[in-house]
Every structure is written in C-alpha cells, then in structure tokens.
Amino acid sequence: MSKGQSGLGKSTLVNTLFKSQVSRKASSWNREEKIPKTVEIKAIGHVIEEGGVKMKLTVIDTPGFGDQINNENCWEPIEKYINEQYEKFLKEEVNIARKKRIPDTRVHCCLYFISPTGHSLRPLDLEFMKHLSKVVNIIPVIAKADTMTLEEKSEFKQRVRKELEVNGIEFYPQKEFDEDLEDKTENDKIRQESMPFAVVGSDKEYQVNGKRVLGRKTPWGIIEVENLNHCEFALLRDFVIRTHLQDLKEVTHNIHYETYRAKRLNDNGGLPPGEGLLGSVLPPVPATPCPTAE
C-alpha cells in the first residue's frame, strides 16, 4: 500500500517500483498516458517475475490526504480497509471446510510518503503513522529526494528517525521482531542508515552513456532512478521485493493479523465471527504459516 499527502508521486513511484529491472511488464499501463490522480482506494493486481520465478502481487493505491479543511480522523478509511482484509481472511480461516489456500488480500506493507521539506514532520503525518503502525508494517519513504542536497537529505533522515522514536512510532523492521543476532545486525544497519529511504520515481526513459535509464531530466543533467549515487530507489526495491518480502508477510501474519484475530474472537466471546450464542462453538484456530507464499 502507498500512503501520503497529494503531489508526492506515490502512483509514479509504485509504477517505477514494478517496472524497473524486476519487471517492466507488470501491467498494461502505457508510458504515454498521464497517471490519473488517485481519488479512491484502488487495488491493482500485478505478476512480477525475476529469475524465472513469478509472484502475484497487489498494489493498493490510496488517495492523498491532508488536503481538506478538517483532516480529523482522516486515517480511519485506510485503517478500516486494512482491518476489512484481516476480517475477510479470518472468516475464511474459521470455516469448518476451509480452502487449502486462503486468498490473501491482507496488506503486508505500507509505504508512507514524507514530503522533502527538510523540516519537522507534520503533526498529521505523526498522527497518521501512529495509528497505522499498530495495524500494518510501515516503511517511511522521503519522496522527490532530488529536491534536497546530500547534506539536507542526511540531516532530514536523522530528524525523521528521531521524531518517530520520540513519538513512539515503530516502523518496519521492528526491533522486537529481530529473531537472532544476524537479523539484529542487518536490521539495525537498515534502521540507522537507510530509513527513511530517500527516493525518486519516474515513468520516463532517457539515453545515458548509450543505455536507456529511468530518470528525471533537470537543467544540469539526468537523475537516474536506479543509480545509488543519485537516490535510494534500488535499495527500497530490493528491501521490499527481495530481501525482506517473506519477513514482511510473516510479521503481518504472526503479529498484526494475530492481534486482530485475538481481539475479534475475544469480543465475540471466543466464537468465530458471525457465530451467535446458538451457533456451533469452534475451538480457536492455531496460527499457521503464511499460506500464500508464491
């Protein structure tokens, strides 16, 4: 899922993410078409392929927020959508004759786009992430990072990390879920150096040194999206799609979904959703490995 205020290039970056070297055939989107402004929560299915392995993926594009005069509780539709997917999965899971492979529409990752102001985070950003981090894996991303100098970018990343820590907002990978020393060492480096990823998205290709590259044209040259000297897009792509994909799914299943499931069964007196006092009582369903690793 992508989330953040309007005008930060969420839709463009998501298209870039799945049209880079991982797969440029992710959808029938035409490069010449202008990407429409997102006005509703929209789930788009993709099949990405790498090294002959195909994976089904759903990208959830969401409307920008914070544009209204009154932005109170503007996170509620997103939180409601995420919980609806948990509910859908739970209903399938508690069926007596449940499917071998339960269709999984749960949100495993939310890219939260931060405006490259160089100043403090907006109170609205902090409030939004505080609510969302309780129900989904949040990965903070600084959008349009080419608008900042290297020094500004480094200082802003540190400021964002500090503000998230002070406000008790946990982002993925969460410290308490590091399984061993190797995990902790790797994730500490990501938390202390990479987060939030400073990225640039683009749907246009340019010729650079005889090669076609995705980039943004400026008066002083081409900013190459996949060049680590220019931005951290490639780090974000590898983090989400390669190195931490399975872990994102497992944390969603074992932590966020289990929290939702326990609360629902508890609120329902230990009965599966939809069962009344006269309904058949089923024992609680044990946690199972994430059933949709494809």
Side-chain angles (χ1 to χ4, degrees), residues 176-204:
E176 63 265 41
F177 306 144
D178 292 341
E179 291 188 2
D180 51 39
L181 188 59
E182 191 181 338
D183 267 3
K184 184 181 184 310
T185 305
E186 183 188 347
N187 289 338
D188 274 346
K189 191 176 178 189
I190 292 164
R191 286 186 284 258
Q192 291 161 17
E193 294 177 16
S194 301
M195 293 287 185
F197 292 100
V199 299
V200 176
S202 174
D203 48 52
K204 292 188 171 61

Side-chain angles (χ1 to χ4, degrees), residues 22 38 47 55 61 65 68 70-71 77 83 108 130 132 152 163-164 175-176 178 183 189 222 245 247 275-276 281:
V22 176
T38 309
V47 174
M55 182 181 69
D61 208 356
F65 73 95
Q68 310 304 316
N70 179 9
N71 293 302
N83 283 330
H108 297 100
K130 196 175 284 185
L132 276 188
E152 286 170 344
E163 288 190 11
L164 293 177
K175 290 179 184 176
E176 63 265 41
D178 292 341
D183 267 3
K189 191 176 178 189
I222 306 292
L245 175 67
D247 190 61
E275 291 286 351
V281 180

Side-chain angles (χ1 to χ4, degrees), residues 253-268:
H253 184 77
N254 297 328
I255 309 298
H256 296 303
Y257 170 67
E258 278 302 311
T259 301
Y260 178 85
R261 178 182 170 279
K263 185 178 183 304
R264 281 288 285 117
L265 294 181
N266 189 49
D267 290 348
N268 214 26

Side-chain angles (χ1 to χ4, degrees), residues 18 23 25-27 45-49 53-57:
F18 303 110
S23 169
K25 300 176 181 176
S27 72
H46 292 274
V47 174
I48 64 175
E49 184 174 349
V53 177
K54 290 186 178 180
M55 182 181 69
K56 282 161 67 178
L57 182 85

Side-chain angles (χ1 to χ4, degrees), residues 14-26 31 49 202 214 225-226 233-234 237-238 241-242:
V14 166
N15 272 306
T16 312
L17 200 57
F18 303 110
K19 287 175 180 292
S20 61
Q21 291 172 358
V22 176
S23 169
R24 293 185 183 274
K25 300 176 181 176
R31 264 180 211 288
E49 184 174 349
S202 174
L214 282 173
V225 166
E226 296 176 89
F233 169 81
R237 178 195 62 209
D238 289 353
I241 299 173
R242 294 176 181 152

